[in-house]
Amino acid sequence: AQSVTQLGSHVSVSEGALVLLRCNYSSSVPPYLFWYVQYPNQGLQLLLKYTSAATLVKGINGFEAEFKKSETSFHLTKPSAHMSDAAEYFCAVSDRGSARQLTFGSGTQLTVLP
Amino acid sequence: ETGVTQTPRHLVMGMTNKKSLKCEQHLGHNAMYWYKQSAKKPLELMFVYSLEERVENNSVPSRFSPECPNSSHLFLHLHTLQPEDSALYLCASSQGDLLAGEETQYFGPGTRLLVL
């Protein structure tokens, strides 16, 4: 069975600092991996996804993530945080042939300090 | 605006009430989903419909009853709920092969449900 672990339920960074949100997965087959963002009182929005093309995936709003099979990780980064990045971020995994079963992590709340 | 709308946005109901949540997608997708989002817990997939046929039911209590009358509409009928059912209920839709697993899910804003 697949699972996702997000280390750190809360992360605080200063505006302009590097953002690093961690995600580790377990899957019996090469997975598809996703990062979603949820702003207050809204649903989830896709930031980026890995589908076995390039291991470095670029997403919206300046975010990117790197798939590292040896570390079973898919960490999300952004070089310079902006106040508007404050939100909750979810990592998710699905297996090939999994009939649309997305397994989500518990989420990481990102706070950006002025 | 993701193309997935949900009504109502907020709902308060007693344990003996019957209510329904509605989801509509304007994206031409062929799959729709209900998720439950509780505080401090991962999103829980409740139901998946593909081409209007239910393909997943993840051990959800029978007090939750989904209905998918067509590919654009999805309902969640609620009756005799418990206080622990209070949560944000999210609808999503996607398009692609049933077994592909790589398609993006587009989420609605959710219905915030409070059961008293």
Side-chain angles (χ1 to χ4, degrees):
Chain A
Q2 56 205 13
S3 66
V4 176
T5 301
Q6 291 184 240
L7 293 174
S9 58
H10 290 84
V11 170
S12 293
V13 299
S14 297
E15 191 174 18
L18 171 71
V19 176
L20 171 60
L21 305 182
R22 299 178 186 276
C23 173
N24 289 87
Y25 69 92
S26 68
S27 175
S28 57
V29 298
Y32 297 114
L33 293 158
F34 305 78
W35 275 101
Y36 282 86
V37 60
Q38 185 177 31
Y39 298 101
N41 300 315
Q42 294 186 29
L44 279 70
Q45 177 184 2
L46 181 73
L47 274 178
L48 48 82
K49 66 179 180 182
Y50 166 75
T51 59
S52 77
T55 56
L56 181 63
V57 181
K58 293 187 184 300
I60 62 172
N61 302 338
F63 284 93
E64 62 182 35
E66 186 172 8
F67 172 68
K68 292 187 176 180
K69 184 178 179 180
S70 61
E71 299 177 8
T72 61
S73 69
F74 190 58
H75 301 332
L76 182 71
T77 60
K78 182 175 180 177
S80 177
H82 191 272
M83 298 296 289
S84 61
D85 295 327
E88 188 153 24
Y89 293 80
F90 294 91
C91 182
V93 62
S94 72
D95 282 338
R96 293 152 200 267
S98 66
R100 296 173 162 143
Q101 286 267 16
L102 261 186
T103 300
F104 283 86
S106 299
T108 298
Q109 182 68 48
L110 175 67
T111 300
V112 181
L113 305 171
Chain B
E1 189 65 42
T2 63
V4 180
T5 58
Q6 291 186 243
T7 54
R9 293 293 308 275
H10 301 273
L11 179 62
V12 180
M13 59 187 290
M15 289 191 283
T16 58
N17 292 157
K18 290 184 179 181
K19 297 287 184 182
S20 295
L21 310 185
K22 179 183 176 182
C23 175
E24 184 173 1
Q25 58 98 358
H26 311 273
L27 302 169
H29 289 169
N30 61 4
M32 297 186 76
Y33 311 73
W34 280 117
Y35 286 88
K36 177 183 180 182
Q37 187 178 26
S38 305
K40 302 182 192 288
K41 292 178 67 176
L43 269 76
E44 301 171 53
L45 179 63
M46 300 174 72
F47 303 103
V48 182
Y49 276 82
S50 178
L51 299 173
E52 302 154 40
E53 179 180 341
R54 190 189 314 175
V55 295
E56 291 291 339
N57 178 348
N58 286 358
S59 303
V60 179
S62 59
R63 57 186 184 268
F64 295 92
S65 174
E67 178 190 2
C68 188
N70 55 61
S71 60
S72 299
H73 294 86
L74 184 65
F75 295 89
L76 188 63
H77 303 299
L78 316 171
H79 66 98
T80 59
L81 294 191
Q82 305 298 310
E84 60 265 28
D85 296 322
S86 298
L88 182 67
Y89 289 85
L90 292 166
C91 174
S93 70
S94 70
Q95 173 68 29
D97 285 335
L98 175 62
L99 298 181
E102 66 173 284
E103 60 217 45
T104 299
Q105 292 185 21
Y106 292 81
F107 286 80
T111 295
R112 175 73 62 185
L113 174 65
L114 176 62
V115 182
L116 301 176

